[in-house]
Amino acid sequence: MTDDTTQDSGNDISESPTNGSDAPIIVCEDVTVSFGDFQALKGISVEVKEKEVVVILGPSGSGKSTFIRTINRLEEHDGGRIVVDGVELNDDVGNLEQIRSEVGMVFQQFNLFPHLSVLRNITLAPQKVRKMSRQDAETLGMELLERVGIPEQADKFPAQLSGGQQQRVAIARALAMQPKIMLFDEPTSALDPEMIKEVLDVMGELARSGMTMLVVTHEMGFAREVADRFLFFDAGEVVEEGTPEHFFTNPQEDRTKLFLSQIL
Amino acid sequence: MNVTNTQDVRGASSAIDRASKWARSNLFDGTGSTVLTLLTAVVATFLIYTIVKFIFVGADWEVVDVNRRLIFLGRYPKEEQWRIWPPMWLVMGLGGLTYGLLSRISLRDLVWLGAAVMFLLVFLATLTNGLLFGAGIILTAAAYGVGRSAVERPRLRARIRLGLTVGWLLAIPFAIVLIAGFGGVKPALWGGLLLNVLLAAIGIGVGLPLGILLALSRASSLPVLKVFATSIIEITRGGPLIAWLFIARFVLPVFIPGFLETDPIVNSMIVVSLFTGAYVAEIVRGGLQAVDRGQVEAANALGLGGFNVTVFIVLPQAIRAVTPALVSQLISLWKDTTLFAFLGFTDALSGGQAAYNQTAFKGDQIEVLLFIALMFWAVAFGMSRLSQRIERVLGIGAR
């Protein structure tokens, strides 16, 4: 199911101390999701290796957002199997909590907590879930704000920040849980054009640092640069997958060609 | 020096210019507007003249002066009066500290507070009471100062916040223990404005958390909890407060043996808390529904579980969204405490009625009722101002 071409993904990750085991960190087998009569995912089988960056493309309503939302069970799958870092995603609440604390997510609408300061947005989960002390959490929070380039905004409230800054806080907030995997659900779609780059830069830096990432995006330039592999979704199925090179030069399926001709 | 002077003169003349421009565009903009302005001016002058004349010339305030105790304390025994001061100081101190921590006092609030203090001093004016009240005022001002000074110091601020939370939580129990405990005054003897204040305080202190719990239970996915909360809310809201008070007083004792022995005021307090809880629950439920689903998703995605999500993410946003409606409900409770007169308790209103029914003061209803109305209005207005302040402070992070 995985193209041979994905194997050369390791080339990008120069700073990675180990090559990582070849065992996949995310395994999806024949995953289905239905909303009433509508089948949003019709049997998705995908494996993602550690430190791999996978970009998911597809027209709206194709199930790409639903797919990444099933990986931390914001949507429940009703068929198939999902295993994240060796833990199966099922009704076991303990499993769910473990997976959620290892999988970070960034949303299209940022979903920052408007009643909490920027720093508090970041420190809340480490304190409550990881039982980190307030001081440690704040030190970590400031480091992360440093990393996404806005340490001076720590004491402001989300509404006082620009969209791009808010999304960078959201990334810092997710990173504060020290996740092994990051999910991005159209992270730049709600942003004004001039703010997209600052968010993509942070994501690019994250990808180069060896984070395992699943990204739903329409930013093809960015996708081409950082992705190890593309998945093309349509009507709840993976229609085509391969390296960025493969997609830009030699797409096979008609639906892929049509989609690419529309967005490029 | 010269320069400043010219600027002053220019500033003054331009202020007059601005005033006349404002008057022309807002008061005398066309015939209709001019007529309305003049008419309003005539009516307003007449009303104000009548009221002021009544207050300073026509009225005989002796009825209020003589019956101060009756209106403020009802049948509360005089020798136990000292018990009221410590809780009052506690509340004043907490109030000053909270205000100081939240914001700098505005000139407008200062004027209102000053007026209220002057008014109270005039009417409480025995020397002892005046001194005790003055001590409270000094305490309030000092606490406000401490609160202001802590704003820029995060560690002190955090400590004060914790202290405030504990303080406010303990304020009502402290008041009740001090007034009723240690051989104190049993609730049946509480009266006057003190009774209204205690009833409202307990109604708010118990009803607010109870309402939040009921709202969360009703929104919960556990059927038992949901049905239980929904029944309590719907049954309680199905009857007027006065009916519930009568039922608690006269019907329940027949069905629940032992209920008779509870102090009638205590069982009324239970009713008021439940009643307030039911209304608060529905207001808060509205707020819970207004919180964006993305907030819960984001919190869940971070690994935060149900309890943490509710307490740290959903509830604060829900309550902020419904603060105006909540305060409105609490103001309504404050005024509803006068219903207790119907159960035979001497609250401020019935104390006042007793005052103007005395043979010496026949016909002095207006003075008494105006006085009581003013007190109720002052407290209600204070609550409303406080809520605006809270909204503004909470609004910092509003979208």
Side-chain angles (χ1 to χ4, degrees), chain A residues 2 4 7 24 50 59 66 78-79 93-94 99 105 109-110 115 128 138 143 152 156 172-173 178 193 215 220 229 236:
Chain A
T2 311
D4 287 350
Q7 298 303 330
E50 219 170 310
T66 307
D78 43 38
V93 179
I99 289 174
M105 183 156 194
Q109 300 295 341
F110 327 138
H115 60 300
K128 300 298 168 195
E138 284 180 354
E143 278 171 23
E152 72 284 359
K156 292 196 181 165
R173 179 177 69 174
Q178 289 153 336
V215 185
M220 294 308 287
R229 180 156 53 119

Side-chain angles (χ1 to χ4, degrees), chain B residues 235-247:
Chain B
I235 292 173
T236 309
R237 289 199 310 165
L241 178 56
I242 185 75
W244 284 119
L245 289 171
F246 280 131
I247 289 173

